[in-house]
Amino acid sequence: MRYNGPMKLDAVQQAAQEQFARQSHRYGSGHILENVEDVQVAIDKIPLPAKASVLDVATGGGHTGLYLASLGHAVTLADIAQPMLDRAARTAAERGFTVQTRQHAAEQFPYPDAHFDLVTCRVAAHHFSSPPHFIQETARVLKPGGYFLLIDGSVEDDQPEAEAWSHTVEKLRDPSHHRFLTPRAWSKLCAASGLAVQHVVLTPFKQPDLNWYFETAATSPENRTKVLELIAHAPESAKKLFHLGEEDGKIIWWWQRLTLIARKH
Ligand SMILES: C[S@@+](CC[C@H](N)C(=O)[O-])C[C@H]1O[C@@H](n2cnc3c(N)ncnc32)[C@H](O)[C@@H]1O
């Protein structure tokens, strides 16, 4: 999709914009995403020029983009929610980094073709209304030979029951959730846009407290009750896949965290 000025947001994008504008204070310091070990491990696999031009899509609190800025790269932080960008810009200034910020949706980018060495997107793509448009835009703005790093919640291939269950739970917890895609679905989208997948892996990632998750998304009391019921009656496939359990009175589970690295032809 070519950029023709700011796009009209669809209902999914609007829901995400409202949700994250309202909850932006929750995504900075103290959020579990502040720990960027997953990004470090992935970036170590990507050969980048000394001062790469990087776009961090749906930057949230800016943890991924600011880690890349700390490595000396020229980073643009982009998000649909302006309060997220304002907070990320403040954090960048506090840490002495110069970054660009740009408000736009992940489905249409305001950049020329072949502009970036690296596009990153971490723990956000499950909110996007159109993963195909997001991938097409990523491929368009990457330079030939440039890299794409995607990290997000996922569900392994061929687990329709567990996938449907986790979708229902996540949608109740945070109505701006759209869909977790499987490794195969992401790989197909990349291939269709000329991005050669070099690495795709699911890593279990512990979610230590359901209540913290409710607070982070400001889940309504009715939806909290429904989620607890779904957890109490989870199908075996979901219990097994997500290691649902209890520790110290807290409900815990393990996310299937997808890390995908692809290179533009
Ligand atoms: C959990 S936060 C991202 C975390 C961040 N990437 C990190 O590494 O810490 C999710 C972000 O996705 C953004 N978002 C959701 N849907 C979007 C869309 N369609 N386009 C752009 N940003 C979007 C939200 O505004 C929010 O800031």
Side-chain angles (χ1 to χ4, degrees):
M1 195 182 281
R2 287 300 161 115
Y3 190 69
N4 294 312
M7 68 192 272
K8 197 173 170 304
L9 300 185
D10 62 33
V12 175
Q13 292 166 325
Q14 259 175 33
Q17 190 179 59
E18 283 162 23
Q19 168 75 7
F20 285 100
R22 205 173 36 235
Q23 294 301 105
S24 65
H25 59 288
R26 289 259 172 199
Y27 286 82
S29 180
H31 194 283
I32 52 173
L33 293 174
E34 199 178 11
N35 180 338
V36 289
E37 274 167 39
D38 53 335
V39 182
Q40 287 170 335
V41 168
I43 289 296
D44 282 352
K45 299 184 198 304
I46 301 179
L48 288 172
K51 191 170 170 118
S53 55
V54 177
L55 170 64
D56 185 34
V57 178
T59 196
H63 303 299
T64 303
L66 295 181
Y67 169 68
L68 285 151
S70 79
L71 300 181
H73 301 307
V75 179
T76 299
L77 307 177
D79 202 280
I80 204 165
Q82 188 59 42
M84 281 293 194
L85 290 172
D86 295 341
R87 284 175 190 279
R90 276 205 294 278
T91 309
E94 280 160 20
R95 290 170 60 184
F97 304 139
T98 305
V99 292
Q100 306 292 318
T101 58
R102 219 59 211 251
Q103 188 187 15
H104 61 79
E107 293 81 0
Q108 192 186 30
F109 296 162
Y111 312 105
D113 297 356
H115 194 66
F116 294 101
D117 296 299
L118 172 69
V119 174
T120 56
C121 183
R122 173 176 180 243
V123 190
H126 62 104
H127 295 282
F128 298 169
S129 62
S130 174
H133 284 159
F134 162 56
I135 296 294
Q136 282 157 22
E137 280 294 81
T138 296
R140 181 181 68 75
V141 302
L142 278 174
K143 296 176 187 171
Y147 284 88
F148 170 47
L149 168 61
L150 175 72
I151 297 177
D152 200 16
S154 182
V155 182
E156 68 184 52
D157 295 312
D158 305 317
Q159 291 278 355
E161 184 182 57
E163 192 277 332
W165 178 88
S166 85
H167 174 69
T168 310
V169 167
E170 192 60 11
K171 191 88 193 158
L172 286 165
R173 187 193 70 79
D174 176 358
S176 74
H177 168 74
H178 189 50
R179 201 93 211 184
F180 289 125
L181 295 194
T182 65
R184 192 190 295 141
W186 280 118
S187 299
K188 277 189 181 164
L189 290 177
C190 287
S193 287
L195 298 175
V197 176
Q198 296 192 331
H199 173 86
V200 59
V201 69
L202 289 181
T203 316
F205 176 60
K206 189 173 182 182
Q207 304 292 349
D209 182 6
L210 178 65
N211 270 324
W212 177 84
Y213 255 77
F214 283 154
E215 292 302 316
T216 301
T219 312
S220 68
E222 314 81 78
N223 283 11
R224 291 182 193 211
T225 306
K226 287 180 190 161
V227 168
L228 290 170
E229 274 166 20
L230 281 161
I231 288 176
H233 301 104
E236 281 308 312
S237 57
K239 280 188 201 160
K240 202 166 148 210
L241 208 63
F242 303 114
H243 305 286
L244 279 172
E246 249 188 77
E247 271 179 19
D248 306 325
K250 293 175 182 157
I251 294 178
I252 60 124
W253 74 105
W254 293 70
W255 237 35
Q256 295 211 298
R257 186 175 62 201
L258 170 98
T259 301
L260 179 149
I261 298 170
R263 188 167 194 216
K264 184 171 171 175
H265 295 299

